[in-house]
Amino acid sequence: MQIIKHILLWGFLLFPMTALAQLPEIGNETDLLAEDIEFRMLEYVDDFTQLATFGDMQLRFSDAIPLTMEYAQILSDKAKRLDERFQAIDLRWNTFVQAMQVDISDNEDLMNLMANVLQAKLVAADSITSKKQKCDALANFVKAEQLIQGKDSVYKKLYKKAYKLSLLKKTEPYLEKVKAQEQTLFTQIQENYGKAQQAVEVLPMLSKRMEALTEQYSIVQVMSKKIQQSAYQSLFHRIKDYLIGIACVAILLLVANMVVSKYKALKAVRKQMKNYQDLIRRQGAGADDYPTI
């Protein structure tokens, strides 16, 4: 019985000492956990930063390369894979933060480091979004360019066909079909041209190509108006319109000739006035040459 009492007494006395000896181990575990979290967060900073840098290297837009749908698709596929990598890293990051949110929130240094991770993530996300927008813009421009270029020859055929159908009253229904066909085509061209204009705002490097595209679009637009204005007219009205057109041209030529004649007359009068003034100055200068006493 005495032995048991001694054992309990020594156990009671040694318990606090044992507990105190274990406290440093708990502190070491906390420090190790914080270091591990810090290391993992630095890895995420590197992952997001490298992703943005990799995207800048892989997705470069240049008008020196022939713009085709294949080229636009290649860039679009690269942007898609880049976004998939970002989503995978972001998923791992969100899972990690949810698991360690208590430990991170209790450590000021880890909270500051978390802000760095979020900043790197935002830069990567903005970079990928910008590149996806550029890929979409490039694809829209290429599509519009392929659709509009060369359509002037198509419209010449449509206008010729519409003109022939407008000569007879009985062919009016066929004329309306041609006009409906043209209107559908022009609506598609107009829509794609608008997308091409928006694409230039995203990719200014397309400005020179846009000038050529605008020229083609203007030709198609004029031809579209002529086709839509096509309508049956009797032979009398056609001759009348033709004569009126000739008369308008004659009047314009007459007015132009009058303007040119007046300009030439005014120019001749000014020349005469200048010659007269030069003569007066020469006479005045000669008077001063006489000797004086």
Side-chain angles (χ1 to χ4, degrees), residues 65-83:
I65 302 175
L67 299 184
T68 61
M69 288 302 298
E70 290 77 9
Y71 173 65
Q73 187 61 47
I74 290 173
L75 293 180
S76 181
D77 291 341
K78 288 183 178 181
K80 183 179 179 181
R81 289 193 294 269
L82 199 65
D83 184 56

Side-chain angles (χ1 to χ4, degrees), residues 4 34 70 82-83 87 94 103 106 142 146 151 159 164 200 203 207 215 221 267:
I4 295 175
E70 290 77 9
L82 199 65
D83 184 56
Q87 297 298 334
N94 291 331
D103 300 284
D106 291 339
V142 173
Q146 292 182 351
K151 281 297 184 293
Y159 177 71
K164 289 181 178 180
V200 175
L203 290 171
S207 299
E215 183 178 353
Q221 189 178 35
K267 188 176 180 180

Side-chain angles (χ1 to χ4, degrees), residues 106-124:
D106 291 339
N107 191 309
E108 184 177 354
D109 293 335
L110 294 180
M111 289 293 293
N112 293 332
L113 186 55
M114 183 176 180
N116 294 337
V117 178
L118 294 177
Q119 178 63 28
K121 173 184 172 181
L122 180 62
V123 171

Side-chain angles (χ1 to χ4, degrees), residues 126-167:
D126 289 345
S127 176
I128 293 173
T129 300
S130 174
K131 286 173 175 55
K132 289 173 66 178
Q133 290 176 347
K134 289 180 179 180
C135 288
D136 292 340
L138 184 64
N140 289 334
F141 187 87
V142 173
K143 183 179 179 181
E145 198 173 45
Q146 292 182 351
L147 178 65
I148 297 174
Q149 285 185 343
K151 281 297 184 293
D152 51 344
S153 59
V154 174
Y155 265 80
K156 286 179 181 178
K157 293 180 181 179
L158 284 174
Y159 177 71
K160 186 176 181 180
K161 187 175 182 180
Y163 177 76
K164 289 181 178 180
L165 293 173
S166 66
L167 295 176

